[in-house]
C-alpha cells in the first residue's frame, strides 16, 4: 500500500501540472478536446478521492460505513473516467458528427453515469485487510465496475475497428494501443485485487493522450495547417480566375486595338482619324489597366516571382530610351540620357521587371511634364561581384505636393485631378513599381517641388557575371514594312475575329495567309504536305491547346518556326512559351512593332 500511495501522490502532482499547463494554453474547442478536459478534471478527482480513501482506511478503520462510502465515491470517479474515455473514443470514430449526434452521445453518457453510480452505491462492498497497510475492496460493487469497464472496452474496440480508416486519417491510432493496454491491466487487476493498477494506469493513459493525440499545440498546428491549405486553394482559384479574366478581356481588346490600328493607316477624313486615335488611346489605357490589376493581384497573392537570368543592362537601357522616345511623340520635351559605361556587360537579375520599374517612372515623367525636359540617368557602384544600379528619372513637370509624397505608392491614388484631367492613368503604376523594388530588395526615393518638377531615384543590386558577353541588340523603334508575297503563314486560332485581325495586320506584308480554327486542322494541313514559312499559334483553344498542337508537330519532326500567340498575357508567359520550345511569343492585342520584329526575323530574305 505504501508504494501505491507513493504512486498516487506522484500521479497527483503530474496531473495537477498537466491541468495547469492544459488549461493555461490556448485551445481549440472541438468536442473531443472538451471531453479530454473533463477526463483531466475527473483524473484529478479520482486521485484526490484515492488519497482520501487511503487516509480514512489507515486512520479511521473503526468507521466502516465512512470507509465504504469513500470507497464507493472512488469507484464512481473511476467509472466516470472510463465512461468519458469511451465517450471520447466514440466521438472521434463517428464519421459525420452532427450536433444532434453529439447531444445524443452526451445524454447517453449522463444517463449511464447516473444509473451505474446508483448501482455502485446500492451494491454491497467489503473492505479486506491483508495487514494494517495492505487493503483492498471487493464485492458486487467492484465486480459491477469490472463488468462495466469490460463492456466499455468492447464498445470502444468495435467503434475503432469499424471506423479504422477515419481513425488512421485523424491520427488517432495510439488510442487503439491504449485500449489494448487498458484491457490487459484490467484483466491483471481482476485476478490480483490487491495490486491497485487501475488508477495509475488511467493516469498514465491521460498523460499519454496529452502528449500524443491531445496536445493543444499539436491541435493548433493541425488547425493552422487546415487553414493554410484552404487559403492556398482560394489563392489558386484567384490566380486561375485572373488568368481567365486576362484572356477574356484581351480577346475583344485584340479586335479593337488591331482594327483601330489598321484604320489609322487608311485615308480617313480628319475627324474620323481623330476618333480612331482616341479609340487606340482608350484601348491602350484599358490594356494598361488590365495589366496593372493583374500585376497588383499577383503581388498581393505573393504569386509574383522574380525570375533571374543573365542579361545586358545596356540592352534594357536602349530599349527604354526607344520606348520613351515613342511615348514622347510630338511633345516638345528634351529627353536627356546618360549611361555609365562602367556598368558590367552581363548582370544577373530580372531584367523584365527592372525594365517595368524604370518604364513606369519614365512614362510618368513624360505624362506629367508639359514642357522642359525629362532626364534619364543610370550610374553604378561596384563592390565585389555586386553592381548597384542607380537609376534616376527627373522631370521639369507639374511636381507633387509634399503632403501627397507619402501616398504616392498607394494603389489607385492619383493627385491634382483638376490639372491632370486629360492625363490618363490608373494610379497603379507607382504602387506596382514600389512592390517590385521591394521584391528585389531595392530602394526608391522621391524628391519633388510642386510646380517645378520631380526626381525618382531607384537603387537595385544585381550580381555581376564575369567573363561573359551578351550581344547588344539592335533596337528597332520604327516599323519597316517589306514585301513577303513569296512567303506563306499559317494562323491557328479558334476565334474568328482574332483570325480577321491577324489577317488585317499581316496584309501590309502581302504575305500568303492561311487560317485554321483548331490544332487538328493545323496538323492536317502540315500532314497534307503544305509548306509554310511561319506558324502563328494561339494557345488557349478548346480540345487541343496550342502547346499540345506544338508538341504534336515536334513529334512529327516539323521544323517550321512557330510563334505562340496568346491573350493570356500575364507576366512570366513569355518565358513559359520559350521554355516549351516555341521560337517566339506575341501577346494579344498584337502590337504592330512586335509583329514587325517577328516578320523581319522569320520572313525577310
Ligand atoms: P498613374 O500615373 O497611372 O495615375 P501612378 O501610380 O504611376 O499612376 O502615379 C500616381 C500619381 O502620382 C499620379 O496620378 C500623379 O498624380 C503622381 N505622379 C506620378 N509621377 C509623377 C511625376 N513624375 N510628376 C508629377 N506627378 C506624378
Amino acid at each position: 500500500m505504501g508504494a501505491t500511495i507513493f504512486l498516487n501522490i506522484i500521479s497527483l502532482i503530474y496531473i495537477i501540472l498537466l491541468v495547469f499547463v492544459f488549461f493555461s494554453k490556448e485551445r481549440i474547442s472541438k468536442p473531443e478536446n472538451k471531453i479530454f478536459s473533463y477526463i483531466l478534471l475527473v483524473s484529478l478527482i479520482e486521485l484526490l478521492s484515492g488519497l482520501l480513501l487511503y487516509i480514512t482506511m489507515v486512520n479511521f478503520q473503526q468507521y466502516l460505513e465512512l470507509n465504504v462510502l469513500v470507497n464507493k465515491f472512488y469507484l464512481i470517479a473511476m467509472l466516470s473516467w472510463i465512461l468519458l474515455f469511451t465517450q471520447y473514443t466514440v466521438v472521434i470514430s463517428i464519421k459525420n458528427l452532427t450536433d444532434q449526434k453529439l447531444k445524443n452521445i452526451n445524454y447517453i453518457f449522463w444517463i449511464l453515469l447516473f444509473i451505474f453510480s446508483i448501482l455502485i452505491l446500492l451494491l454491497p462492498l467489503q473492505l479486506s485487510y491483508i495487514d494494517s497497510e495492505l487493503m483492498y475492496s471487493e464485492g458486487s460493487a467492484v465486480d459491477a465496475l469490472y463488468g462495466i469497464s469490460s463492456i466499455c472496452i468492447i464498445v470502444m474496440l468495435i467503434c475503432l475497428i469499424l471506423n479504422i480508416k477515419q481513425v488512421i486519417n485523424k491520427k488517432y491510432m495510439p488510442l487503439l494501443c491504449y485500449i489494448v493496454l487498458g484491457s490487459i491491466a484490467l484483466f491483471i487487476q481482476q485476478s490480483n485485487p490487491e495490486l491497485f493498477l487501475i488508477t495509475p494506469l488511467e493516469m498514465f493513459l491521460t498523460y499519454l493522450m496529452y502528449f500524443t493525440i491531445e496536445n493543444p499545440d499539436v491541435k493548433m498546428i493541425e488547425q493552422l495547417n487546415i487553414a493554410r491549405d484552404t487559403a492556398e486553394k482560394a489563392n489558386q482559384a484567384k490566380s486561375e480566375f485572373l488568368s481567365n479574366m486576362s484572356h477574356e478581356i484581351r480577346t475583344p481588346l485584340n479586335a479593337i486595338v488591331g482594327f483601330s490600328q489598321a484604320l489609322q493607316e487608311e485615308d480617313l477624313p480628319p475627324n474620323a482619324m481623330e476618333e480612331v486615335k482616341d479609340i487606340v488611346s482608350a484601348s491602350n489605357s484599358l490594356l494598361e489597366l488590365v495589366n496593372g490589376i493583374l500585376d497588383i493581384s499577383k503581388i498581393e497573392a505573393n504569386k509574383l516571382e522574380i525570375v533571374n537570368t543573365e542579361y545586358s543592362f545596356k540592352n534594357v537601357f536602349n530599349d527604354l530610351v526607344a520606348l520613351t522616345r515613342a511615348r514622347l511623340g510630338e511633345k516638345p520635351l528634351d529627353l536627356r540620357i546618360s549611361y555609365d559605361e562602367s556598368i558590367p556587360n552581363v548582370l544577373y537579375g530580372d531584367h523584365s521587371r527592372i525594365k517595368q520599374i524604370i518604364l513606369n517612372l519614365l512614362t510618368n515623367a513624360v505624362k506629367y511634364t508639359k514642357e522642359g525636359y525629362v532626364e534619364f540617368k543610370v550610374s553604378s557602384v561596384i563592390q565585389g561581384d555586386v553592381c548597384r544600379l542607380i537609376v534616376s528619372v527627373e522631370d521639369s513637370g507639374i511636381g507633387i505636393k509634399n503632403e501627397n509624397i507619402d501616398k504616392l505608392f498607394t494603389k489607385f491614388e492619383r493627385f491634382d485631378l483638376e490639372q491632370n484631367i486629360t492625363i490618363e492613368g490608373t494610379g497603379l503604376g507607382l504602387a506596382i513599381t514600389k512592390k517590385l523594388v521591394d521584391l528585389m530588395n531595392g530602394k526608391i526615393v522621391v524628391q519633388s517641388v510642386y510646380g517645378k518638377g520631380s526626381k525618382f531615384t531607384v537603387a537595385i543590386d544585381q550580381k555581376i557575371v564575369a567573363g561573359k558577353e551578351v550581344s547588344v541588340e539592335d533596337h528597332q523603334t520604327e516599323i519597316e514594312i517589306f514585301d513577303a508575297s513569296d512567303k506563306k503563314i499559317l494562323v491557328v486560332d479558334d476565334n474568328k475575329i482574332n483570325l480577321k485581325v491577324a489577317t488585317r495586320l499581316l496584309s501590309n506584308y502581302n504575305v500568303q495567309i492561311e487560317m485554321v480554327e483548331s490544332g487538328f486542322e493545323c496538323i492536317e494541313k502540315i500532314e497534307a504536305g503544305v509548306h509554310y514559312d511561319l506558324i502563328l499559334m494561339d494557345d488557349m483553344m478548346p480540345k487541343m491547346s496550342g502547346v499540345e498542337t506544338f508538341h504534336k508537330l515536334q513529334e512529327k519532326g516539323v521544323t517550321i518556326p512557330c510563334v505562340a500567340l496568346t491573350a493570356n498575357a500575364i507576366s512570366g508567359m513569355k518565358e513559359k512559351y520559350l521554355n516549351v520550345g516555341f521560337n517566339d511569343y506575341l501577346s494579344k492585342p498584337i502590337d504592330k512593332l512586335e509583329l514587325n520584329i517577328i516578320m523581319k526575323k522569320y520572313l525577310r530574305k
Side-chain angles (χ1 to χ4, degrees):
M1 191 75 188
T4 314
I5 197 64
F6 179 68
L7 209 60
N8 202 320
I9 290 171
I10 298 277
S11 305
L12 186 64
I13 295 170
Y14 269 110
I15 287 290
I16 290 173
L17 279 176
L18 209 59
V19 166
F20 181 73
V21 172
F22 184 82
F23 286 101
S24 61
K25 272 191 176 156
E26 200 179 331
R27 282 158 290 126
I28 46 173
S29 74
K30 274 187 159 180
E32 65 265 31
N33 312 128
K34 241 189 186 158
I35 303 173
F36 181 73
S37 58
Y38 292 137
I39 292 182
L40 263 181
L41 293 176
V42 167
S43 301
L44 193 65
I45 295 170
E46 186 178 329
L47 284 168
L48 287 173
S49 56
L51 210 61
L52 182 68
L53 178 64
Y54 177 79
I55 295 168
T56 54
M57 281 175 93
V58 172
N59 299 310
F60 306 102
Q61 262 185 36
Q62 64 277 31
Y63 302 114
L64 192 66
E65 259 99 60
L66 174 73
N67 279 326
V68 169
L69 192 70
V70 176
N71 207 327
K72 286 193 170 177
F73 183 73
Y74 177 53
L75 291 184
I76 292 172
M78 275 188 183
L79 169 77
S80 316
W81 193 98
I82 291 164
L83 286 179
L84 277 170
F85 192 67
T86 314
Q87 190 191 8
Y88 182 95
T89 313
V90 172
V91 163
I92 61 117
S93 6
I94 287 181
K95 237 181 227 150
N96 302 316
L97 188 70
T98 54
D99 280 355
Q100 191 53 45
K101 280 186 194 166
L102 199 66
K103 254 188 198 160
N104 293 344
I105 295 171
N106 248 335
Y107 283 141
I108 296 173
F109 167 79
W110 285 111
I111 291 169
L112 290 180
L113 182 63
F114 181 74
I115 296 173
F116 293 149
S117 303
I118 300 282
L119 198 70
I120 287 173
L121 283 176
L122 293 180
L123 286 173
L125 179 124
Q126 291 94 43
L127 298 173
S128 308
Y129 290 83
I130 295 174
D131 55 44
S132 62
E133 282 278 293
L134 190 61
M135 54 212 149
Y136 61 90
S137 50
E138 56 186 355
S140 339
V142 180
D143 294 339
L145 186 62
Y146 281 134
I148 296 163
S149 306
S150 309
I151 296 170
C152 283
I153 287 177
I154 295 170
V155 169
M156 287 191 273
L157 283 175
I158 293 176
C159 262
L160 287 181
I161 291 168
L162 283 184
N163 300 297
I164 193 79
K165 258 195 190 159
Q166 152 109 348
V167 173
I168 294 174
N169 270 353
K170 286 192 175 174
K171 303 194 177 66
Y172 279 111
M173 267 320 262
L175 215 55
L176 202 61
C177 309
Y178 303 159
I179 293 165
V180 174
L181 202 68
S183 351
I184 297 170
L186 196 69
F187 181 72
I188 299 173
Q189 172 75 54
Q190 204 169 7
S191 29
N192 306 280
E194 72 288 350
L195 275 183
F196 287 96
L197 260 182
I198 298 299
T199 301
L201 179 92
E202 284 178 355
M203 298 312 121
F204 183 56
L205 289 189
T206 310
Y207 304 143
L208 282 183
M209 279 173 83
Y210 177 82
F211 287 111
T212 52
I213 51 182
E214 268 306 324
N215 188 317
D217 293 342
V218 175
K219 293 263 159 191
M220 273 295 179
I221 291 170
E222 267 171 28
Q223 211 63 0
L224 284 177
N225 283 345
I226 294 171
R228 189 203 55 206
D229 289 349
T230 322
E232 259 169 24
K233 269 190 201 140
N235 221 346
Q236 192 83 21
K238 186 177 163 190
S239 296
E240 269 165 34
F241 170 76
L242 284 176
S243 112
N244 285 340
M245 279 310 283
S246 162
H247 181 257
E248 295 310 314
I249 298 172
R250 275 163 185 275
T251 303
L253 257 181
N254 183 37
I256 300 170
V257 175
F259 288 129
S260 50
Q261 275 184 359
L263 275 177
Q264 276 185 306
E265 290 157 15
E266 302 284 326
D267 213 0
L268 293 179
N271 49 355
M273 187 53 101
E274 271 305 303
E275 284 163 7
V276 170
K277 263 192 191 163
D278 286 344
I279 297 175
V280 172
S281 146
S283 40
N284 280 335
S285 305
L286 187 54
L287 193 60
E288 199 182 303
L289 181 65
V290 173
N291 290 343
I293 290 175
L294 283 171
D295 267 347
I296 207 99
S297 312
K298 269 196 126 188
I299 293 170
E300 282 172 1
N302 282 332
K303 286 266 168 178
L304 194 125
E305 283 171 35
I306 295 297
V307 185
N308 293 327
T309 49
E310 290 175 8
Y311 72 99
S312 143
F313 187 74
K314 183 86 189 192
N315 278 338
V316 174
F317 180 82
N318 288 344
D319 249 354
L320 285 165
V321 173
L323 284 165
T324 313
R325 285 232 161 85
R327 259 157 228 220
L328 274 178
E330 282 147 32
K331 238 184 186 184
L333 288 183
D334 180 15
L335 179 65
R336 303 175 188 168
I337 52 173
S338 137
Y339 183 80
D340 174 0
E341 291 296 339
S342 65
I343 295 173
N345 213 318
V346 187
L347 298 179
Y348 182 75
D350 191 335
H351 65 284
S352 61
R353 293 301 178 183
I354 290 198
K355 191 166 148 187
Q356 187 178 356
I357 291 171
I358 307 173
L359 189 61
N360 272 342
L361 301 180
L362 286 166
T363 310
N364 278 349
V366 173
K367 270 201 309 195
Y368 299 106
T369 309
K370 284 195 194 93
E371 53 190 23
Y373 67 93
V374 168
E375 186 173 74
F376 174 28
K377 229 168 145 178
V378 185
S379 59
S380 68
V381 177
I382 295 171
Q383 222 172 28
D385 65 344
V386 173
C387 168
R388 171 162 300 175
L389 293 171
I390 301 166
V391 180
S392 71
V393 176
E394 192 178 332
D395 63 58
S396 59
I398 58 170
I400 303 154
K401 284 183 189 151
N402 244 345
E403 67 261 31
N404 290 335
I405 296 242
D406 286 343
K407 294 183 257 170
L408 214 50
F409 300 114
T410 313
K411 60 184 176 193
F412 299 115
E413 284 278 9
R414 305 196 70 214
F415 312 109
D416 273 329
L417 286 180
E418 12 3 292
Q419 266 205 72
N420 295 344
I421 198 88
T422 54
I423 303 175
E424 276 157 12
T426 58
L428 283 174
L430 285 180
I432 295 169
T433 302
K434 169 86 170 99
K435 299 227 163 161
L436 288 176
V437 171
D438 288 347
L439 270 175
M440 292 188 201
N441 300 320
K443 284 247 156 12
I444 180 164
V445 282
V446 190
Q447 294 155 288
S448 187
V449 179
Y450 187 59
K452 287 241 160 98
S454 322
K455 182 177 179 182
F456 288 76
T457 310
V458 176
I460 295 173
D461 285 349
Q462 299 281 276
K463 272 224 171 96
I464 299 170
V465 183
K468 274 208 176 170
E469 287 289 320
V470 170
S471 63
V472 176
E473 287 162 12
D474 176 23
H475 287 270
Q476 184 185 333
T477 51
E478 306 249 312
I479 297 172
E480 297 169 39
I481 300 290
F482 59 94
D483 180 74
S485 49
D486 55 338
K487 304 281 179 189
K488 201 165 188 179
I489 289 192
L490 179 66
V491 188
V492 190
D493 198 320
D494 61 304
N495 183 305
K496 281 203 175 75
I497 294 188
N498 278 342
L499 286 175
K500 270 171 85 179
V501 176
T503 317
R504 180 66 184 83
L505 292 176
L506 289 169
S507 64
N508 293 341
Y509 300 88
N510 294 328
V511 64
Q512 302 163 45
I513 307 165
E514 271 198 45
M515 294 179 286
V516 288
E517 288 178 33
S518 71
F520 300 103
E521 286 176 64
C522 162
I523 293 169
E524 264 173 32
K525 287 264 178 201
I526 306 273
E527 278 181 339
V530 189
H531 173 76
Y532 299 100
D533 298 285
L534 183 66
I535 301 175
L536 296 184
M537 176 93 72
D538 178 38
D539 183 22
M540 287 170 104
M541 294 185 288
K543 292 199 184 112
M544 195 197 285
S545 70
V547 172
E548 283 163 350
T549 314
F550 179 73
H551 284 316
K552 288 248 157 70
L553 291 179
Q554 272 188 323
E555 280 165 25
K556 292 183 191 302
V558 176
T559 53
I560 305 168
C562 199
V563 176
L565 197 59
T566 180
N568 182 15
I570 50 178
S571 37
M573 277 296 147
K574 182 170 182 178
E575 289 74 17
K576 181 190 142 186
Y577 287 108
L578 295 185
N579 283 343
V580 164
F582 280 96
N583 298 69
D584 254 303
Y585 160 91
L586 263 180
S587 66
K588 284 189 240 175
I590 301 171
D591 183 85
K592 277 200 302 185
L593 186 63
E594 281 177 29
L595 179 68
N596 187 236
I597 294 171
I598 301 261
M599 292 295 282
K600 275 178 21 192
K601 195 162 162 190
Y602 298 99
L603 298 186
R604 195 145 73 170
K605 282 173 214 121

